Amino acid sequence: KDRCNIQAEATINPLELSQRFYLATSGNMDAIRGVLSESIEIALEEDAKALSLKHLSQGFAFAPPPTVRIKENPFEISAKTIQSWLTGKSRNAP
């Protein structure tokens, strides 16, 4: 919020958000920065008051990192699907 005057929507669960970023980037900080940067630009262009999962989804789709762990957009899947991926119970888990 300090650098660009935007923060995540209050409805976004921080733990779930970190899990989504992990699936998107394998924890690679540069890849996280890339997705976040694109997402923030989209939110600012829309004059949004907060960063939403929709913005993160669009940012990810615009510039998917090479470290992505799944074939789906991790910012569009359900919390249950996230857990399936993280526990290796997804049919498509690596």
Side-chain angles (χ1 to χ4, degrees), residues 58-79:
Q58 291 171 334
F60 175 84
F62 182 75
T67 54
V68 67
R69 296 179 50 91
I70 64 175
K71 293 182 172 122
E72 300 170 81
N73 186 321
F75 300 99
E76 294 179 355
I77 60 177
S78 70

Side-chain angles (χ1 to χ4, degrees), residues 18-78:
S18 66
Q19 292 168 337
R20 290 177 188 278
F21 270 113
Y22 178 73
L23 291 175
T25 66
S26 297
N28 179 293
M29 294 304 288
D30 191 50
I32 291 171
R33 182 203 51 77
V35 171
L36 199 51
S37 226
E38 290 296 335
S39 303
I40 289 170
E41 279 190 43
I42 292 166
L44 291 173
E45 286 173 5
E46 292 180 3
D47 202 27
K49 301 290 184 230
L51 188 67
S52 69
L53 284 179
K54 179 188 105 179
H55 298 124
L56 291 163
S57 172
Q58 291 171 334
F60 175 84
F62 182 75
T67 54
V68 67
R69 296 179 50 91
I70 64 175
K71 293 182 172 122
E72 300 170 81
N73 186 321
F75 300 99
E76 294 179 355
I77 60 177
S78 70

Side-chain angles (χ1 to χ4, degrees), residues 19-20 22-23 69 81-89:
Q19 292 168 337
R20 290 177 188 278
Y22 178 73
L23 291 175
R69 296 179 50 91
T81 303
I82 292 169
Q83 292 308 309
S84 292
W85 278 105
L86 292 174
T87 59
K89 294 180 182 173

